């Protein structure tokens, strides 16, 4: 759709919503917008946006790290702990 169905403003670029009246240009645009928002929510960029938008950024960072650790597979956690222990032993051995 080339124009907004509500106000008739022409569409610029790949926008999903009309910047003037905040209405989706078409139902397909609404579906694509929701899908893009869901995909961005699970990325680093989405987490960074949530942290920066929060009032208490330290607590938001803690919450994001807890969520990240909770969603990390067990094999990855074991590998990370093994690497940490190995580096710790190397550093203590040098000192």
């Amino acid at each position: 759709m080339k124009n907004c169905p509500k106000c008739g403003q022409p569409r610029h670029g790949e926008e999903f919503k009309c910047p003037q009246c905040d209405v989706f240009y078409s139902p397909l645009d609404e579906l694509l917008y929701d899908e893009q928002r869901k995909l961005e929510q699970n990325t680093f960029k989405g987490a960074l946006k949530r942290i920066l938008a929060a009032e208490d950024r330290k607590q938001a960072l803690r919450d994001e790290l807890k969520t990240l650790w909770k969603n990390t597979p067990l094999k990855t956690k074991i590998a990370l702990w093994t690497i940490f222990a190995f580096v710790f032993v190397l550093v203590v051995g040098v000192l």
Side-chain angles (χ1 to χ4, degrees), residues 20-34:
Q20 188 173 15
C21 59
D22 204 37
V23 172
F24 287 100
Y25 287 107
S26 70
L28 178 61
D29 287 335
E30 187 173 359
L31 293 173
L32 291 172
Y33 178 78
D34 288 340

Side-chain angles (χ1 to χ4, degrees), residues 41-44 47 50-51 60-74 76-77 80:
Q41 188 175 16
N42 295 330
T43 62
F44 176 73
R50 285 190 299 274
I51 291 169
L61 178 62
R62 284 187 209 114
D63 292 341
E64 289 294 331
L65 290 175
K66 284 180 186 177
T67 303
L68 177 68
W69 187 253
K70 185 175 75 173
N71 293 335
T72 303
L74 181 62
T76 305
K77 288 179 185 178
L80 288 172

